[in-house]
Amino acid sequence: MQQIEHYQESFLNHLEGFTVHKEPKNLYNPINYILELGGKRLRPVLTLMTAEVFGVNAQTAMDAALSIEVFHNFSLVHDDIMDDAPLRRGEETVHEKWDLNTGILSGDAMLIMAYQLFENYEAETFQALAKLFSKTALEVCEGQQYDIDFETRNDVTISEYLKMIEYKTAVLVGAAMKMGAIVAKASNEDQNSIYEFGRLLGIAFQLQDDYLDAFGNPETFGKQVGGDIIENKKTYLYLKTMELGTNEDEKEFLFLMQNNVLSNAAKVKAAKQFFEDTGAAKATQEAVKDYTNKAFKVLEGLNIPEDKKQLLRVFGEQLMTRRV
């Protein structure tokens, strides 16, 4: 079976043929820009890997993998507009490099292009892929709305937060894997199990992303470190600080997060100190391990050879320990 790097390489070759220069250039150039910016290519790799895990050549799942990547990047373009984010993968965001209207319209086009890629499959596979995609895309929108709502609430619970990241991030990871299983015509039981594996891995991935947003290296993380703190996002770190801290910690932390006088750098530094002192940073890392281990438990019931289960375990372990 191919190694993960080979999946990435073959996907990038396929992507290169997709990012052709077309007119009007002010619509398509921003699309090519965001797709060529790099990133981990986590979701398409999972689609290709899953197709091979279930016994078909990864190439047969290439358009499904591309659809997932195009949709993911569409969501990033619009998320960056909503967050007024200056950087994506260490470079200017689309709306900063062009303008808001371009970001909106190019993002809309990407969503349509993602659907079009399913047309390259036979009717039964097309229907299954499109049905899963529609469900997932709507859940991602719901997750984004929860995320926005949480910014102005001070009563967000950890269970609410976990539901939000499940919808905003994890369902897309689960869908990426299930699409590979659909293309491979795996049994419904295995399709659902691999989706659950991906969903749990996706939650672990987002919790690790929360951690890296505060404690990551800005040169390797590719986004503005401390962005969640500046935007007052109710991340797992934030909520665990509220849960684990003393009453005095809670008051001081809330005062800090609502402080509009402090510089961004000072606010980020002070918030990180709260995360460490209350044990929230450690608790977040423990949660990453917990959800990753839950994902590994799902693997035990899959009807695939042990060496293929091991490939999926290695991938999960790499996500759990990543620093980018």
Side-chain angles (χ1 to χ4, degrees), residues 38-319:
K40 295 169 281 291
R41 312 296 184 185
L42 162 71
R43 296 152 193 84
V45 164
L46 285 174
T47 302
L48 300 178
M49 187 187 303
T50 304
E52 274 210 346
V53 157
F54 286 111
V56 302
N57 190 296
Q59 288 295 322
T60 62
M62 197 62 77
D63 283 325
L66 182 54
S67 175
I68 281 286
E69 183 70 356
V70 172
F71 174 80
H72 172 60
N73 280 275
F74 141 74
S75 72
L76 297 182
V77 170
H78 281 191
D79 283 3
D80 286 342
I81 291 171
M82 292 182 220
D83 293 341
D84 196 23
L87 295 178
R88 170 64 63 182
R89 297 166 186 155
E91 301 291 340
E92 280 184 295
T93 48
V94 168
H95 70 277
E96 286 286 333
K97 188 172 176 64
W98 282 271
D99 54 46
L100 285 175
N101 288 345
T102 299
I104 292 167
L105 190 60
S106 293
D108 290 345
M110 290 175 78
L111 178 58
I112 297 163
M113 293 163 80
Y115 268 106
Q116 280 184 322
L117 286 159
F118 297 139
E119 295 171 8
N120 297 325
Y121 293 97
E122 62 186 50
E124 187 178 348
T125 302
F126 169 88
Q127 185 178 29
L129 290 171
K131 184 177 180 180
L132 173 61
F133 189 90
S134 297
K135 171 181 175 289
T136 304
L138 191 57
E139 286 172 338
V140 171
C141 290
E142 290 172 2
Q144 175 69 358
Q145 187 60 57
Y146 284 131
D147 195 19
I148 294 166
D149 291 346
F150 290 175
E151 289 179 27
T152 54
R153 281 181 52 192
N154 287 323
D155 59 347
V156 179
T157 64
I158 287 176
S159 63
E160 284 180 313
Y161 177 74
L162 290 171
K163 179 181 179 181
M164 183 273 287
I165 63 172
E166 176 184 349
Y167 279 23
K168 186 174 177 180
T169 300
V171 295
L172 193 58
V173 178
M177 302 199 80
K178 188 172 181 177
M179 282 186 182
I182 288 170
V183 171
K185 301 187 187 305
S187 69
N188 287 335
E189 180 186 356
D190 280 341
Q191 285 182 28
N192 293 334
S193 291
I194 202 69
Y195 176 89
E196 183 65 4
F197 171 78
R199 185 187 71 84
L200 290 165
L201 209 60
I203 293 173
F205 177 86
Q206 185 56 53
L207 291 172
Q208 178 74 343
D209 215 55
D210 286 0
Y211 181 84
L212 291 174
D213 187 273
F215 296 101
N217 183 332
E219 292 182 9
T220 56
F221 187 48
K223 290 188 285 186
Q224 179 183 24
V225 171
D228 288 345
I229 297 167
I230 295 165
E231 293 161 26
N232 197 32
K233 284 186 179 289
K234 310 303 188 296
T235 63
Y236 198 82
L237 282 165
Y238 180 114
L239 298 173
K240 273 293 178 183
T241 297
M242 296 290 287
E243 179 188 272
L244 298 174
T246 64
N247 288 338
E248 191 60 31
D249 287 334
E250 186 177 333
K251 288 176 186 175
E252 290 180 10
F253 182 67
L254 278 175
F255 179 78
L256 168 69
M257 297 305 288
Q258 294 163 1
N259 191 320
N260 296 319
V261 177
L262 274 180
S263 69
N264 286 344
K267 184 175 181 179
V268 170
K269 182 179 180 181
K272 285 169 67 174
Q273 195 64 53
F274 272 106
F275 295 159
E276 291 181 321
D277 291 347
T278 61
K282 184 179 179 182
T284 301
Q285 291 178 302
E286 288 298 322
V288 171
K289 291 179 185 175
D290 183 48
Y291 276 97
T292 304
N293 289 331
K294 285 179 181 176
F296 290 163
K297 190 154 189 174
V298 173
L299 282 183
E300 295 171 13
L302 276 177
N303 298 303
I304 56 174
E306 185 57 38
D307 65 318
K308 295 183 178 181
K309 291 180 183 178
Q310 183 58 25
L311 182 75
L312 295 173
R313 284 193 198 97
V314 168
F315 193 88
E317 286 165 358
Q318 288 177 346
L319 287 185

